[in-house]
Amino acid sequence: MTTQLTITRQSENQKHRAVTCTSLGIRYEVFEGQGVVSVRRWDAAMDRNTVVGEFELSFLRGDKVRIGDDPRWRPMGDFLYNHGSSFSAARSFIGDNNVEYRWKVRQGTLMLCKGGSGAPALITFHRDRYNPNDASYLEVHDIETLESLEKVIVSFLIMERRTGQA
């Protein structure tokens, strides 16, 4: 059984999107302004959005990220790092459960796997290539990845932009 996290545009210019899964009560909002992408989780108990991550992709200043409530900006490579060839689009990160995850592009599709080559996809990104304005979604094949959902979403948004799938 799989779970779907739906990604929808909240405005016409792609600068405000939502990542939701109604059955699990998950709602993240993604805002972009002045080059910084901010990911916020709706916290129903506190009745407000909480920032879970922010990143900036900047050729001149260098890519940077901050995760969770850490106020410090860090170099992107500290969070989402490359293994092996510098020409590879694959990037890895360590989840909250201390598992190494790796985003890869296979046959034009962005997929999250456990670190190591040949591992099966844990999450697959689906988008209508013919109508990119339609809602896209992340298909979660392994529910254990939800333990690191905030890092998964932030890293996905970075990879989506880097691989041109945004």
Side-chain angles (χ1 to χ4, degrees), residues 9 39 43 45 60 63 73 79 89 95 109 117 125 128 151 155:
R9 290 180 10 177
V39 182
D43 188 335
L60 296 175
D63 300 344
W73 285 99
F79 168 62
T109 301
S117 60
F125 176 52
D128 186 341
K151 288 183 177 179
S155 64

Side-chain angles (χ1 to χ4, degrees), residues 16-138:
H16 181 196
R17 298 190 298 166
V19 179
T20 59
C21 179
T22 308
S23 65
L24 297 177
I26 294 170
R27 180 169 180 83
Y28 290 88
E29 294 198 19
V30 181
F31 299 92
E32 184 173 350
Q34 298 179 357
V36 175
V37 177
S38 179
V39 182
R40 302 171 188 167
R41 179 189 69 242
W42 175 251
D43 188 335
M46 299 184 79
D47 195 30
R48 67 181 175 97
N49 278 325
T50 303
V51 175
V52 299
E54 294 181 305
F55 65 90
E56 179 180 21
L57 302 179
S58 172
F59 179 74
L60 296 175
R61 293 188 300 262
D63 300 344
K64 58 186 180 179
V65 65
R66 55 182 168 196
I67 301 294
D69 55 4
D70 186 352
R72 297 174 295 131
W73 285 99
R74 302 182 315 183
M76 184 69 71
D78 289 356
F79 168 62
L80 196 60
Y81 51 91
N82 188 359
H83 277 295
S85 170
S86 59
F87 298 107
S88 172
R91 296 290 185 273
S92 300
F93 68 96
I94 303 296
D96 293 331
N97 51 4
N98 288 323
V99 172
E100 182 182 58
Y101 294 104
R102 183 175 298 168
W103 284 107
K104 300 177 180 184
V105 178
R106 289 188 187 158
Q107 298 175 352
T109 301
L110 194 56
M111 298 179 175
L112 182 70
C113 306
K114 282 191 179 172
S117 60
L122 304 172
I123 296 178
T124 307
F125 176 52
H126 296 277
R127 176 184 71 178
D128 186 341
R129 287 188 170 95
Y130 302 107
N131 191 358
N133 293 328
D134 284 354
S136 52
Y137 65 95
L138 293 170

Side-chain angles (χ1 to χ4, degrees), residues 5-7 27 43 57 75 80 115 128 135 148-150 160-161:
L5 299 173
T6 305
I7 304 167
R27 180 169 180 83
D43 188 335
L57 302 179
L80 196 60
D128 186 341
S148 298
L149 185 58
E150 293 172 359
E160 181 187 38
R161 281 168 175 73

